[in-house]
């Protein structure tokens, strides 16, 4: 709007208010913060939600003591314009501002300070969501719904799969005030695609394994391996068992089926009825069971050569004993069954 147009609107508003307030018009304008200087004292945090209307912002400012009157701020919006330019976010504002000063402060935009958020390898979508809710203003439920709805998708995601499980990159991110569930999800999906593109999956794809299936394998490696030196060996066990039609028997998939991070599984846990229970269901689980890191993706892409079909934890440093035959596996299991870490 031109300066002349704003002035005309201002004069019209003043005339109307002056008429309503009769001889006390000037004092009335000052009482609602539309006339006169600011009288700042102290400060307060105001959070403007996404999609808030001018009237809603006005009420927030009055309630928090930033302006003396919501009506005065609404009139300032009508005179000056700019309601559509007020961004959602957090604002640290002085109390006792005039309506115009408050509008100017809001139009400068919210604070752009950031929060550092770290997501470890192996995290599930619900782990990402819980961390976001704990450390930022992003709703964990909203992030979970979005990440499992198919509304944000990865190029690696096959048709018919809506969840982003295993396709969001576990790393450290800086989340700014203007970020929401969608912007964070898109950033993490994009980063996963970028990192996955650096890995050559041609070797396993040549055996009929799809890129998405390789990510599923990588997620299991991430959950099972404690030592980088064993990742490619665990990958080989998984591929060998798949080729022979032997259930994978990976306890981490049972945890995922249960929806719990359990250290020890009971007999009833191991019998849970779920397509993710690789103790009883042959083949790969339907989706990844967590977010693999780069080392696990590389192991899934280039498994070590060998005939191993079994492994069992042999020490508390995370090393495993690998075996080809079931008898050797039973021997190893007996040797290390008293292990308590």
């Amino acid at each position: 709007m031109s300066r002349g147009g704003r002035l005309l609107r201002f004069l019209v508003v003043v005339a109307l208010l002056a008429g309503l307030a009769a001889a006390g018009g000037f004092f009335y304008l000052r009482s609602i913060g539309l006339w006169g200087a600011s009288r700042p004292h102290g400060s307060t945090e105001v959070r403007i939600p996404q999609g808030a209307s001018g009237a809603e912002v006005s009420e927030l400012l009055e309630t928090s003591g930033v302006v003396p009157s919501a009506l005065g701020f609404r009139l300032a919006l009508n005179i000056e314009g700019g309601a559509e330019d007020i961004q959602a976010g957090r604002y640290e504002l002085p109390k006792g501002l005039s309506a115009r000063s408050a509008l100017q402060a809001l139009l400068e935009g919210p604070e752009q300070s950031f929060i550092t958020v770290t997501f470890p390898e192996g995290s599930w979508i619900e782990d990402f969501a819980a961390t976001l809710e704990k450390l930022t203003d992003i709703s964990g439920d909203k992030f979970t719904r979005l990440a499992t709805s198919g509304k944000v998708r990865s190029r690696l995601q096959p048709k018919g799969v809506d969840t982003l499980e295993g396709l969001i990159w576990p790393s450290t991110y800086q989340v700014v005030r203007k970020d929401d569930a969608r912007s964070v999800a898109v950033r993490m999906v994009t980063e996963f695609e970028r990192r996955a593109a650096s890995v050559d999956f041609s070797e396993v794809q040549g055996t009929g394994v799809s890129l998405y299936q390789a990510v599923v394998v990588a997620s299991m490696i991430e959950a099972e391996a404690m030592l980088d030196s064993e990742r490619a060996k665990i990958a080989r066990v998984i591929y060998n068992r798949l080729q022979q039609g032997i259930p994978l028997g990976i306890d981490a998939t049972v945890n995922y089926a249960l929806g719990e991070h359990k250290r020890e599984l009971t007999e009833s846990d191991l019998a849970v009825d779920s397509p993710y229970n690789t103790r009883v269901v042959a083949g790969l689980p339907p989706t990844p069971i967590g977010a693999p890191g780069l080392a696990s993706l590389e192991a899934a892409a280039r498994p070590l050569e060998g005939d191993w079909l079994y492994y069992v934890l042999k020490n508390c440093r995370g090393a495993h004993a690998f075996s080809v035959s079931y008898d050797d596996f039973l021997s190893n299991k007996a040797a290390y069954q008293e292990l308590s870490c």
Side-chain angles (χ1 to χ4, degrees):
M1 179 184 294
S2 69
R3 182 168 183 153
R6 288 179 179 172
L7 178 60
L8 178 60
R9 289 182 66 175
F10 175 69
L11 292 175
V12 169
V13 171
V14 170
L16 288 172
L17 290 172
L20 290 172
F26 170 77
F27 298 101
Y28 180 69
L29 291 176
R30 188 168 65 182
S31 72
I32 63 173
L34 197 60
W35 194 280
S38 297
R39 296 180 180 179
H41 56 279
S43 65
T44 186
E45 182 185 276
V46 177
R47 185 180 300 177
I48 307 295
Q50 199 76 33
S53 66
E56 290 169 332
V57 172
S58 302
E59 293 295 335
L60 281 172
L61 294 180
E62 178 182 347
T63 302
S64 60
V66 174
V67 297
S69 165
L71 172 61
F73 188 78
R74 289 201 304 273
L75 290 171
L77 279 177
N78 287 330
I79 296 166
E80 301 289 343
E84 66 281 0
D85 296 322
I86 297 176
Q87 301 176 43
R90 287 181 177 179
Y91 296 77
E92 189 71 25
L93 299 172
K95 296 183 178 182
L97 293 180
S98 69
R100 284 180 164 181
S101 294
L103 176 57
Q104 183 179 1
L106 291 182
L107 292 178
E108 290 176 359
E111 297 178 23
Q112 291 300 308
S113 58
F114 60 83
I115 297 170
T116 300
V117 186
T118 298
F119 307 100
E121 287 86 353
S123 295
W124 301 350
I125 282 176
E126 65 182 52
D127 300 326
F128 282 90
T131 300
L132 285 170
E133 176 145 318
K134 180 180 179 181
L135 299 179
T136 75
D137 293 332
I138 297 172
S139 161
D141 286 343
K142 189 170 184 178
F143 180 84
T144 299
R145 288 195 302 271
L146 181 69
T148 56
S149 67
K151 293 180 180 178
V152 174
R153 299 191 65 82
S154 166
R155 292 197 301 268
L156 284 65
Q157 201 169 352
K159 291 181 180 179
V161 175
D162 289 334
T163 181
L164 290 171
E165 191 72 88
L167 299 174
I168 49 183
W169 189 251
S171 186
T172 297
Y173 296 86
Q174 292 179 346
V175 179
V176 298
R177 302 297 187 191
K178 66 179 181 180
D179 275 325
D180 57 14
R182 176 175 289 275
S183 66
V184 171
V186 168
R187 194 189 323 168
M188 292 193 289
V189 167
T190 301
E191 184 63 12
F192 190 96
E193 292 173 344
R194 186 181 74 82
R195 295 301 189 104
S198 70
V199 180
D200 182 5
F201 288 94
S202 59
E203 179 180 328
V204 294
Q205 285 181 300
T207 66
V209 176
S210 72
L211 182 54
Y212 185 70
Q213 289 172 327
V215 174
V216 175
V217 172
S219 73
M220 291 186 288
I221 297 168
E222 191 65 59
E224 291 285 286
M226 297 186 213
L227 303 177
D228 284 345
S229 60
E230 292 188 351
R231 292 181 193 272
K233 207 168 183 178
I234 291 174
R236 177 51 66 193
V237 171
I238 293 172
Y239 287 125
N240 286 345
R241 293 177 76 91
L242 286 173
Q243 288 171 1
Q244 296 188 31
I246 304 171
L248 299 178
I250 292 179
D251 288 350
T253 66
V254 179
N255 267 332
Y256 190 81
L258 296 170
E260 300 179 60
H261 295 287
K262 299 181 74 171
R263 289 182 61 86
E264 295 184 7
L265 296 169
T266 65
E267 288 299 320
S268 61
D269 290 338
L270 296 174
V272 63
D273 183 13
S274 168
Y276 288 93
N277 185 354
T278 59
R279 283 273 188 150
V280 296
V281 179
L284 292 172
T287 72
I289 60 165
L294 188 60
S296 292
L297 286 172
E298 290 175 339
R302 289 185 292 276
L304 198 63
E305 287 300 320
D307 296 326
W308 310 285
L309 290 172
Y310 310 93
Y311 57 85
V312 63
L313 188 66
K314 68 178 183 180
N315 63 43
C316 293
R317 296 188 300 276
H320 292 86
F322 291 80
S323 54
V324 175
S325 73
Y326 187 65
D327 287 342
D328 287 344
F329 164 70
L330 291 178
S331 297
N332 288 335
K333 187 176 180 181
Y336 305 116
Q337 66 181 354
E338 300 301 324
L339 185 66
S340 177
C341 299

